[in-house]
């Protein structure tokens, strides 16, 4: 026999053995194939279901957020009250429906914000405003307890600081000063270089501004925000410039209206806000102890 004939015989034997093995195990092989197909189809159907549920939840959250935004800009007191009630009711429903999931946590943040901003709108109704602040605080505390990421926990702590700061302003209870300050400080520790940390430092500086023995701390915080955010802005500008320089064609001229637009946005930055507060701090006379 030639080598070619021997090779052919080996292949034929192999196929024969495979055919015999399949014949002996055909039943369970078919079941394995069926189970695999069912699992594959089930997985794909579940993924499609999850996508549709996520899209539905996002849409519903958007509607509740729109109701809250509309309430914030509404001039009519009765209409504003209705919009706040709608936003709160929808946020509560979504919180109950989605639980501790991502959309449930987003709904909880929205619910806390709705209670908080409603308390600000009820400034002339002290009892009702106090009730809304209490509900906002309870909601943000719950969010902090189920937060999954440092950013989520920091957002909850920042909101708690805002609520306690507002409570301090309304009640003059100085014990709340430290509680609010602790929450703001936690934010800067959790996400030190983020916009949340910048907001926390600005809020803490504003809260310290009228306190006689906290003036230096307020000034330090504002300088920290101004220096850090200016550095970040410069680093971002350099990165964008390097990226632009590597592309063709290069932009040589900027329209005057665009330049004014950029300047306007720059004035809305955290660094610009910190500098404005620093300037106001120079001419601010803090309250004396006991007054």
């Amino acid at each position: 026999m030639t080598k070619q004939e021997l090779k052919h015989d080996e292949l034929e034997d192999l196929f024969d053995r495979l055919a015999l093995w399949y014949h002996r195990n055909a039943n369970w092989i078919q079941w394995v194939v069926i189970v695999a197909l069912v699992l594959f189809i089930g997985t794909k159907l579940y993924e499609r279901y999850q996508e549709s549920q996520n899209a539905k939840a996002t849409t519903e959250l958007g509607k509740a957020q729109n109701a809250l935004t509309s309430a914030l800009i509404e001039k009519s007191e009765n209409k504003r009250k209705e919009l706040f009630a709608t936003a709160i009711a929808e946020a509560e429903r979504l919180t109950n429906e989605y639980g501790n999931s991502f959309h449930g946590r987003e709904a909880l943040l929205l619910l806390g914000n709705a209670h908080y901003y409603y308390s600000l709108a009820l400034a002339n109704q002290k009892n009702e405003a106090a009730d809304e602040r209490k509900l906002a605080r309870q909601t943000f505390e719950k969010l902090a307890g189920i937060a999954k990421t440092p950013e989520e926990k920091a957002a909850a702590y920042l909101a708690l600081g805002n609520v306690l700061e507002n409570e301090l302003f309304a009640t003059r209870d100085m014990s709340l000063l430290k509680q609010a300050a602790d929450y703001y400080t936690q934010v800067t520790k959790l996400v030190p270089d983020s916009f949340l940390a910048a907001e926390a430092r600005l809020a803490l500086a504003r809260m310290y501004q009228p306190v006689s023995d906290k003036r230096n701390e307020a000034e330090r915080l504002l300088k920290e925000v101004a220096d850090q955010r200016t550095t970040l802005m410069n680093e971002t500008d350099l990165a964008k410039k390097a990226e632009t320089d590597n592309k063709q064609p290069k932009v040589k001229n900027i329209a005057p209206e665009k330049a004014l637009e950029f300047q306007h946005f720059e004035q809305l930055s955290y660094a610009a806000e910190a500098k404005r507060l620093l300037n106001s701090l120079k001419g601010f006379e803090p309250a004396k102890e006991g007054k």
Side-chain angles (χ1 to χ4, degrees):
M1 298 178 68
T2 64
K3 290 182 178 180
Q4 184 65 29
E5 289 172 328
L6 285 171
K7 184 177 180 181
H8 175 74
D9 289 343
E10 290 173 359
L11 289 173
E12 189 173 358
D13 289 342
L14 176 61
F15 289 136
D16 288 341
R17 288 196 296 271
L18 289 173
L20 179 61
W21 177 84
Y22 177 79
H23 180 71
R24 290 175 177 174
N25 302 280
N27 288 335
W28 72 265
I29 290 174
Q30 291 173 2
W31 277 110
V32 168
V33 172
I34 291 172
V35 170
L37 286 173
V38 170
L39 288 175
F40 176 78
I41 294 172
T43 300
K44 291 299 180 183
L45 289 174
Y46 180 74
E47 289 176 354
R48 292 291 298 275
Y49 172 77
Q50 284 294 99
E51 289 176 0
S52 64
Q53 287 296 102
N54 289 338
K56 175 187 173 186
T58 301
T59 301
E60 290 177 329
L61 278 170
K63 290 180 180 178
Q65 181 62 58
N66 287 338
L68 177 56
T69 302
S70 298
L72 294 174
I73 61 176
E74 179 58 49
K75 302 297 183 182
S76 168
E77 183 176 347
N78 291 333
K79 183 63 175 177
R80 182 169 62 246
K81 184 176 180 180
E82 291 177 7
L83 289 168
F84 270 118
T86 299
I88 290 171
E90 278 301 294
E92 284 180 340
R93 181 182 68 79
L94 294 174
T95 298
N96 294 329
E97 182 174 347
Y98 294 105
N100 292 350
S101 67
F102 170 77
H103 290 98
R105 298 193 302 275
E106 288 294 302
L108 201 59
L109 178 61
L110 178 61
L111 177 60
N113 284 334
H115 282 304
Y116 173 70
Y117 286 116
Y118 192 29
S119 73
L120 298 180
L122 294 169
N124 295 327
Q125 304 173 44
K126 293 183 178 180
N127 292 334
E128 291 83 351
D131 291 339
E132 290 299 321
R133 285 195 301 271
K134 181 179 179 180
L135 290 171
R137 182 174 179 177
Q138 292 172 347
T139 303
F140 291 135
E141 286 174 343
K142 182 178 179 180
L143 177 60
I146 64 172
K148 300 297 184 183
T149 65
E151 289 76 16
E152 286 184 353
K153 189 175 287 292
Y157 283 162
L158 180 62
L160 280 167
N162 292 157
V163 174
L164 289 172
E165 184 181 353
N166 194 257
E167 185 76 11
L168 168 64
F169 178 79
T171 64
R172 306 299 180 185
D173 181 359
M174 293 305 293
S175 67
L176 297 172
L177 178 68
K178 185 180 184 306
Q179 295 181 48
D182 287 342
Y183 280 124
Y184 288 142
T185 303
Q186 284 297 318
V187 174
T188 62
K189 291 179 179 178
L190 282 168
V191 284
D193 297 324
S194 69
F195 74 94
L196 291 171
E199 285 195 22
R201 290 188 179 98
L202 287 174
L204 188 53
R206 281 193 295 263
M207 190 172 65
Y208 280 164
Q209 183 173 323
V211 182
S212 59
D213 60 344
K214 296 292 185 180
R215 179 187 175 92
N216 291 337
E217 180 67 8
E219 187 174 355
R220 182 190 67 79
L221 288 165
L222 292 173
K223 287 181 178 179
E224 197 172 286
V225 174
D227 293 342
Q228 183 185 52
R229 301 306 295 186
T230 300
T231 300
L232 289 173
M233 288 172 62
N234 291 338
E235 289 176 352
T236 302
D237 290 342
L238 288 173
K240 288 181 178 179
K241 184 178 184 303
E243 183 180 352
T244 303
D245 289 344
N246 292 330
K247 293 181 180 180
Q248 293 294 337
K250 296 181 179 180
V251 179
K252 295 182 179 180
N253 298 314
I254 299 178
E257 58 271 16
K258 277 292 181 184
L260 289 173
E261 186 177 341
F262 291 149
Q263 291 175 5
H264 174 70
F265 283 129
E266 184 180 358
Q267 292 305 310
L268 299 177
S269 68
Y270 292 114
E273 176 65 14
K275 291 173 183 176
R276 279 194 293 270
L277 288 173
L278 273 172
N279 290 331
S280 66
L281 191 63
K282 294 176 182 177
F284 186 84
E285 185 63 30
K288 304 297 182 183
E289 294 289 350
K291 292 187 178 181

